[in-house]
Amino acid sequence: MKISDSVIRRLPRYYRQLGELLLEDIHKISSKELAKKMSLTASQIRQDFNNFGEFGQQGYGYNVDLLRQEIAKILNLHEKKSTILIGAGNLGTTIAAHIDFESLGFHLSAIFDKNEKLTGTLVAGVPITHTDQLKEFCENNAPEAAILCIPKDASTELVKNLTSYGVNSFWNFSAYDLHVDYPQATVENVYLGDSLMALSFKTQQQDSKINHN
Amino acid sequence: MKISDSVIRRLPRYYRQLGELLLEDIHKISSKELAKKMSLTASQIRQDFNNFGEFGQQGYGYNVDLLRQEIAKILNLHEKKSTILIGAGNLGTTIAAHIDFESLGFHLSAIFDKNEKLTGTLVAGVPITHTDQLKEFCENNAPEAAILCIPKDASTELVKNLTSYGVNSFWNFSAYDLHVDYPQATVENVYLGDSLMALSFKTQQQDSKINHN
DNA sequence: TAGATTGTTAATCGATTAACAATC
DNA sequence: TAGATTGTTAATCGATTAACAATC
């Protein structure tokens, strides 16, 4: 079945929210209560879940622990996908250090940078390897995913190479619309700038609303 | 008029894409051509623009420079909103250094951190101020936006204070669903983890599709 | 059992797509 | 003028919401 992008975007939110509930020692929740917490509707939540199975119990609601595990399965968080990060600059090192890959379904196997001076330096416990070794590493270790923290111009060529080495998941921070031809590839583009522009727009909208009242 | 979230999310993409076109010295484009480049439909693009005005010319298309300027106006990129960043840790300093605030409609006025050892250190040309000074700074400088790069637990209290100091735009990296009660507040939550989980899901979906063929 | 809440079907709403007159 | 392409109205599609029987 085809899962819509709207649903895909809500799945991680459910997963996070259920984690929060467990921290508060809440182990049972109804779609109505969850809806209130997440600014959704109970119908929407039940529709979302019913894309994947029946996780609740009539008259009772949902078991938080169980539901969270089910969503983890749906998101495939248990299969730790071997991942390489390319570009150990400011952004790259921060991503490496800041993201909890293991709990998100990934494992950071290697970090590459073309700057020889950085070779061997540890970032988040992973030594930086020179980009020259990229092909060999991929042939030996078959990483599934790559995180791109390199300038825009370098990305196109690199992605072409990486797909030929068998990498087909891309988490792209290069601030441009990465479009990969290979049909088996999956790309998740992150544009922090877009998010900030959206904030600019929404703030302005909010201001004008207030001034008109 | 109420602008839907779908449209808001596309506006920065248009802005970026038009910038790319200018770099390639392309100054004229039709909705059809733009649609192809952005994987949208020509109708959708024209509908989007017509929320805000008439920017094209029948029989010709759109002037890229002009259209880009119009979208900049719509996004309010020209009004440089005074902004403070809170939390000069790994993520905070990277955001400060990596984001081109000026071209996105913001101006980074100050960076705050509670660690006294960091006070005075320059990050992206801006000296770190101790959090004790936050209230005073806001009273004197009236920043409009705040970027939150602090742990989740500290956020709720901080946001409460900031709203009382008149800050009502929040760019939140604290990895939790920031929900601000104040009706005049605008929040843009960034969850890098959600994005990575979405990649995990989409990759799995892609894999199963390929295996079924 | 009675009350609650799910799973699921039906109705509604809004966003996307198609069509076409207006016009450059 | 003829061709192209917009702006805009109408049709379609898909997502959200409402309703309710099933059932715990």
Side-chain angles (χ1 to χ4, degrees):
Chain A
M1 191 195 352
K2 168 77 185 155
I3 303 298
S4 77
D5 196 62
S6 318
V7 174
I8 296 175
R9 298 293 148 190
R10 280 194 293 269
L11 288 172
R13 291 186 60 205
Y14 291 131
Y15 184 72
R16 250 190 308 116
Q17 183 63 59
L18 294 166
E20 304 267 321
L21 289 172
L22 289 181
L23 289 177
E24 296 168 41
D25 212 32
I26 296 170
H27 297 271
K28 180 253 167 199
I29 197 161
S30 68
S31 55
K32 192 176 166 190
E33 291 164 325
L34 189 58
K36 195 177 173 196
K37 279 189 182 292
M38 299 182 66
S39 305
L40 301 171
T41 66
S43 275
Q44 192 171 30
I45 289 176
R46 295 204 300 276
Q47 292 278 24
D48 283 356
F49 294 167
N50 281 242
N51 281 304
F52 304 103
E54 304 180 11
F55 306 133
Q57 201 168 24
Q58 274 119 327
Y60 173 80
Y62 298 89
N63 175 299
V64 177
D65 309 69
L66 204 80
L67 181 58
R68 184 158 180 274
Q69 279 173 43
E70 291 292 346
I71 294 177
K73 274 189 224 163
I74 293 165
L75 288 168
N76 198 28
L77 303 187
H78 297 309
E79 188 191 275
K80 299 288 180 290
K81 289 148 298 270
S82 172
T83 305
I84 57 178
L85 186 148
I86 310 194
N90 211 329
L91 185 60
T93 50
T94 296
I95 296 292
H98 188 260
I99 298 291
D100 182 0
F101 289 100
E102 299 298 325
S103 65
L104 296 167
F106 294 82
H107 172 77
L108 187 60
S109 304
I111 298 173
F112 291 89
D113 199 282
K114 67 168 190 227
N115 183 347
E116 282 165 8
K117 288 176 189 162
L118 294 176
T119 303
T121 312
L122 283 182
V123 173
V126 181
I128 296 175
T129 307
H130 192 269
T131 317
D132 286 348
Q133 310 286 311
L134 186 54
K135 187 178 180 184
E136 199 188 329
F137 180 91
C138 291
E139 282 165 357
N140 293 335
N141 298 276
E144 295 172 66
I147 306 168
L148 308 178
C149 299
I150 52 175
K152 201 169 66 166
D153 299 331
S155 294
T156 318
E157 179 72 11
L158 180 67
V159 167
K160 203 178 140 197
N161 289 336
L162 286 171
T163 48
S164 79
Y165 306 157
V167 177
N168 49 34
S169 279
F170 295 94
W171 201 23
N172 176 39
F173 287 85
S174 318
Y176 91 114
D177 264 301
L178 178 58
H179 183 74
V180 181
D181 294 336
Y182 296 75
Q184 69 268 37
T186 310
V187 181
E188 177 76 10
N189 289 303
V190 180
Y191 308 105
L192 295 177
D194 284 15
S195 168
L196 192 55
M197 286 192 264
L199 180 63
S200 177
F201 179 83
K202 291 195 291 183
T203 299
Q204 170 198 226
Q205 230 183 4
Q206 194 72 15
D207 289 350
S208 73
K209 198 162 72 188
I210 287 161
N211 293 335
H212 284 314
N213 289 348
Chain B
M1 189 196 353
K2 168 77 185 155
I3 304 299
S4 78
D5 195 62
S6 318
V7 175
I8 297 175
R9 298 292 149 190
R10 281 195 292 271
L11 288 171
R13 291 185 59 204
Y14 291 131
Y15 184 72
R16 249 190 309 116
Q17 182 64 60
L18 294 166
E20 304 267 320
L21 289 171
L22 288 181
L23 289 178
E24 295 167 41
D25 213 31
I26 296 170
H27 296 271
K28 181 252 166 199
I29 196 160
S30 69
S31 55
K32 192 177 167 188
E33 291 164 324
L34 189 57
K36 195 177 173 195
K37 279 190 183 291
M38 298 182 66
S39 305
L40 301 172
T41 66
S43 275
Q44 191 171 31
I45 290 176
R46 295 203 300 275
Q47 291 279 24
D48 283 355
F49 294 166
N50 281 242
N51 281 304
F52 304 102
E54 305 180 8
F55 306 134
Q57 201 169 25
Q58 274 120 325
Y60 174 81
Y62 298 89
N63 176 298
V64 177
D65 309 69
L66 204 79
L67 180 58
R68 184 158 179 274
Q69 278 173 45
E70 291 292 345
I71 294 177
K73 275 189 225 164
I74 293 166
L75 288 168
N76 198 27
L77 304 187
H78 297 308
E79 189 191 273
K80 300 287 182 288
K81 291 150 294 275
S82 172
T83 305
I84 57 177
L85 185 149
I86 310 195
N90 210 330
L91 184 61
T93 50
T94 297
I95 296 292
H98 188 260
I99 298 291
D100 182 0
F101 290 100
E102 299 298 324
S103 66
L104 296 167
F106 294 82
H107 172 77
L108 187 59
S109 303
I111 299 174
F112 291 89
D113 199 282
K114 66 169 190 227
N115 183 347
E116 283 165 8
K117 287 178 189 161
L118 294 175
T119 302
T121 313
L122 283 181
V123 174
V126 180
I128 296 176
T129 307
H130 192 269
T131 317
D132 286 347
Q133 310 286 311
L134 185 54
K135 187 178 180 186
E136 198 188 329
F137 181 91
C138 291
E139 282 165 358
N140 293 335
N141 298 277
E144 295 172 68
I147 306 168
L148 307 178
C149 299
I150 53 175
K152 200 169 67 167
D153 299 331
S155 294
T156 318
E157 179 71 13
L158 180 67
V159 167
K160 202 178 140 197
N161 289 336
L162 286 171
T163 49
S164 79
Y165 306 157
V167 176
N168 48 33
S169 278
F170 296 94
W171 201 23
N172 175 40
F173 287 85
S174 317
Y176 90 114
D177 263 301
L178 179 58
H179 183 75
V180 181
D181 294 336
Y182 296 76
Q184 69 269 36
T186 309
V187 180
E188 177 77 8
N189 289 303
V190 180
Y191 307 105
L192 295 177
D194 284 16
S195 168
L196 192 54
M197 286 191 263
L199 180 63
S200 177
F201 179 83
K202 291 194 292 182
T203 300
Q204 169 197 228
Q205 229 183 6
Q206 195 72 17
D207 289 350
S208 73
K209 198 163 73 187
I210 287 162
N211 292 334
H212 284 312
N213 289 348

